[in-house]
Amino acid sequence: MDLNTETLIDVTALKPLLGQTDLLLVDCRFDLMQPDAGRQAFEQLHLAGAVYADVNQDLSDQSLTGLGRHPLPTPAHFAETLSRLGFRPEQAVVVYDQGNGAYAARLWWMLRWIGHRQVAVLNGGFQAAQKAGLPMTSGAVSVVPSQVLDLRGTTSSVLDYLALDQARQDPSWLLIDARGAERYRGDVEPIDPVAGHIPGAINRPFTQNLDSEQRFLPPAELRMQFQTLLGARSAEQVVHQCGSGITACHNLLAMTHAGLVGSKLFAPSWSGWISDPSRPISRGD
């Protein structure tokens, strides 16, 4: 199946694809403060044919330490998750969450990380699908596992601690923090034990990618906004981070949708950075 997109799909384009065997529909609804809420919402009501991927358990590997609140799984660990979801490499994948794409973007990025390009986020998410009257069903879903694949992640798309520390001090690179401004400044910190931001990072909250209906802004508008931040830099000189490597993927998706392809992810993000108290931190603007 060809989605005719590698970034976003709207409900009108998704509707005729529903029910086809070469489409995998994945529900990524989640709530950082209530980790079970997403799965409960899925079992209450979800798009017909969808399977559920949990941000904590499926899109992270909590056995890894020192890598933030949502440690990026190894490709082998991710392969096991994809098997449980019933994923086959010939399938196109559409992912959605409650609306704004904050969690769906993580799975979108992970699939691209292992080289799968036929993947898109449903623009407007579950909220838009429900409003459009797409078919829904309820209850838990039993999935027949697929073959476990031998996956390799694209190492050029992620930065480790050493590379991040070098990049943040190099003016030819741009480190973008996707958290809200009050968390970036360190005014409040509702989740992590230390407030502030990585020195050298600038702030662009991921919510700036969205319109009033929680849909992504048009590509031309996103391109103009990000190009203003980049200046003379290329997209390949941009690193995204947030609190734990989730909403950073939203900014990465927005840039890609705008035609600015090749930016990187620092997956441990702020929660990983502060796991070593010797690392410097900044507060304020």
Side-chain angles (χ1 to χ4, degrees):
M1 175 185 291
D2 186 355
L3 292 175
N4 296 316
T5 176
E6 293 184 1
T7 53
L8 300 171
I9 188 170
D10 62 28
V11 291
T12 303
L14 175 61
K15 187 173 182 178
L17 307 179
L18 295 174
Q20 298 189 31
T21 58
D22 52 356
L23 173 71
L24 180 64
L25 191 58
V26 186
D27 186 316
C28 294
R29 282 178 288 173
F30 191 72
D31 186 330
L32 286 174
M33 300 304 184
Q34 302 178 71
D36 295 330
R39 187 178 296 277
Q40 290 169 0
F42 175 83
E43 293 182 1
Q44 261 188 343
L45 193 68
H46 58 265
L47 272 166
V51 297
Y52 182 72
D54 183 274
V55 169
N56 276 350
Q57 304 305 319
D58 298 317
L59 307 185
S60 311
D61 183 354
Q62 300 296 341
S63 71
L64 300 176
T65 58
L67 295 176
R69 284 183 281 106
H70 293 106
L72 184 66
T74 63
H77 188 280
F78 185 39
E80 293 176 359
T81 294
L82 290 176
S83 171
R84 291 195 302 272
L85 297 177
F87 169 79
R88 303 189 311 277
E90 68 271 17
Q91 287 178 311
V93 183
V94 171
V95 296
Y96 69 88
D97 55 29
Q98 45 265 60
N100 64 15
Y103 302 109
R106 167 78 166 207
L107 180 53
W108 171 87
W109 181 87
M110 290 176 69
L111 284 163
R112 290 175 62 88
W113 172 55
I114 55 95
H116 190 74
R117 285 293 185 267
Q118 279 297 304
V119 55
V121 169
L122 179 60
N123 203 5
F126 182 79
Q127 177 179 308
Q130 196 171 32
K131 186 176 180 180
L134 295 190
M136 301 280 174
T137 189
S138 59
V141 172
S142 179
V143 179
V144 177
S146 57
Q147 179 181 352
V148 177
L149 303 172
D150 182 15
L151 301 181
R152 298 287 186 275
T154 306
T155 56
S156 62
S157 61
V158 292
L159 269 66
D160 60 17
Y161 284 107
L162 178 59
L164 186 281
D165 199 32
Q166 293 171 341
R168 74 176 183 85
Q169 300 178 73
D170 183 344
S172 68
W173 284 79
L174 182 66
L175 177 59
I176 300 179
D177 189 327
R179 295 176 300 164
E182 68 285 353
R183 288 185 66 199
Y184 168 83
R185 291 191 303 265
D187 299 345
V188 299
E189 183 43 69
I191 303 173
D192 293 308
V194 179
H197 61 266
I198 299 171
I202 68 164
N203 185 217
R204 187 186 193 279
F206 78 93
T207 51
Q208 292 182 10
N209 300 323
L210 303 164
D211 64 17
S212 60
E213 294 187 337
Q214 300 299 289
R215 290 178 171 85
F216 281 75
L217 296 172
E221 190 170 343
L222 288 170
R223 186 180 183 90
M224 180 182 64
Q225 291 183 13
F226 277 102
Q227 199 66 70
T228 299
L229 298 180
L230 269 61
R233 302 178 188 90
S234 68
E236 290 84 355
Q237 294 168 294
V238 176
V239 184
H240 297 280
Q241 53 95 184
C242 54
S244 63
I246 303 298
T247 58
C249 297
H250 199 281
N251 273 347
L252 212 154
L253 169 58
M255 280 189 64
T256 305
H257 187 54
L260 299 168
V261 179
S263 55
K264 325 293 185 189
L265 177 68
F266 175 54
S269 288
W270 175 246
S271 57
W273 182 259
I274 60 172
S275 64
D276 180 347
S278 71
R279 295 188 184 112
I281 64 172
S282 291
R283 294 193 176 95
D285 294 323

